[in-house]
Amino acid sequence: AQSVTQLDSQVPVFEEAPVELRCNYSSSVSVYLFWYVQYPNQGLQLLLKYLSGSTLVESINGFEAEFNKSQTSFHLRKPSVHISDTAEYFCAVSGRAGSYQLTFGKGTKLSVIP
Amino acid sequence: DTEVTQTPKHLVMGMTNKKSLKCEQHMGHRAMYWYKQKAKKPPELMFVYSYEKLSINESVPSRFSPECPNSSLLNLHLHALQPEDSALYLCASSQRGALDTIYFGEGSWLTVV
């Protein structure tokens, strides 16, 4: 069985400041990790994912996450946030190739303050 | 076209009503999903269809009945719901499984009165 823990339920940050959203995982098998973002009144969108290979993965809008096996973490970072980054961010894990199931964390609400 | 379209966006129904939520995708995806999301909570998987066959039913009450008429359409039939079933219902699709990008619709907000 696998699970993820998002350590912060809310993260307020000033515009143009850096941000880190924390995610720790627990899995007894291979692990595949994801960050999904949900803007207000919308569905979820994939931000980035780690399946294998390079432990640093990047999204097209400036976010990055690093898979750290020794610390069982997959923290999401952005060096400079914009107002438009205000959203709910969900870390998720899948434990098996071919699985349809993602286990989501409880979410972190990122609020960017002008 | 990377869209999953859901209708209606909002639905209010009584506990004795029968209604349906509809979902459509034209990306050629073979897996389609229904998720339920309560306020300030993560999405919870309800059903998965793979190649138009029900693959996963996460012990969902029978008052929720999914249907996949063809590879592009997914319905969720609702009957005799309870107020606690009020939530955002998200449809999603992916090429195959969860390791592929899952594309979500904007959801149908359901209120049961």
Side-chain angles (χ1 to χ4, degrees):
Chain A
Q2 57 274 343
S3 64
V4 289
T5 301
Q6 292 184 246
L7 298 164
D8 305 297
S9 58
Q10 296 186 62
V11 173
V13 63
F14 286 103
E15 194 173 14
E16 297 183 7
V19 70
E20 178 180 81
L21 306 183
R22 296 180 293 169
C23 174
N24 287 91
Y25 69 88
S26 170
S27 177
S28 58
V29 294
S30 300
V31 64
Y32 308 96
L33 292 158
F34 307 79
W35 278 100
Y36 277 83
V37 58
Q38 186 172 29
Y39 298 102
N41 299 315
Q42 293 190 24
L44 282 73
Q45 302 172 29
L46 178 68
L47 201 54
L48 44 77
K49 62 182 174 182
Y50 170 77
L51 301 183
S52 65
S54 173
T55 57
L56 184 66
V57 289
E58 299 177 351
S59 72
I60 58 172
N61 56 354
F63 282 94
E64 65 178 31
E66 185 161 19
F67 172 62
N68 188 318
K69 190 172 181 179
S70 63
Q71 297 187 7
T72 61
S73 67
F74 190 56
H75 301 332
L76 182 69
R77 301 183 181 94
K78 189 171 185 180
S80 175
V81 295
H82 302 127
I83 294 288
S84 58
D85 294 322
T86 293
E88 190 85 26
Y89 291 79
F90 292 98
C91 183
V93 63
S94 182
R96 184 172 59 87
S99 171
Y100 296 104
Q101 288 166 309
L102 284 181
T103 301
F104 286 94
K106 292 186 176 182
T108 298
K109 175 66 189 292
L110 173 63
S111 298
V112 180
I113 304 162
Chain B
D1 182 9
T2 56
E3 270 196 350
V4 175
T5 305
Q6 291 187 241
T7 55
K9 292 196 183 309
H10 298 274
L11 178 64
V12 179
M13 61 185 290
M15 289 189 284
T16 58
N17 290 160
K18 283 186 181 181
K19 297 285 184 183
S20 297
L21 306 180
K22 298 186 183 299
C23 174
E24 191 169 5
Q25 58 90 11
H26 294 289
M27 295 177 277
H29 289 172
R30 309 311 297 191
M32 295 189 77
Y33 310 74
W34 280 114
Y35 284 84
K36 174 183 177 180
Q37 187 178 24
K38 301 282 274 186
K40 301 189 186 301
K41 299 286 186 187
E44 298 173 7
L45 184 63
M46 299 174 72
F47 303 104
V48 180
Y49 274 83
S50 174
Y51 292 87
E52 302 166 48
K53 291 197 169 111
L54 184 63
S55 183
I56 292 177
N57 176 342
E58 291 286 12
S59 303
V60 179
S62 59
R63 56 186 184 268
F64 295 92
S65 175
E67 179 196 19
C68 188
N70 60 52
S71 60
S72 300
L73 295 174
L74 186 66
N75 299 323
L76 186 64
H77 301 300
L78 314 170
H79 174 55
L81 295 193
Q82 303 297 310
E84 59 264 28
D85 296 322
S86 298
L88 177 66
Y89 289 84
L90 293 164
C91 176
S93 70
S94 66
Q95 185 60 40
R96 292 177 298 267
L99 299 195
D100 299 313
T101 300
I102 298 180
Y103 292 84
F104 286 82
E106 293 192 349
S108 293
W109 288 95
L110 173 67
T111 303
V112 181
V113 296

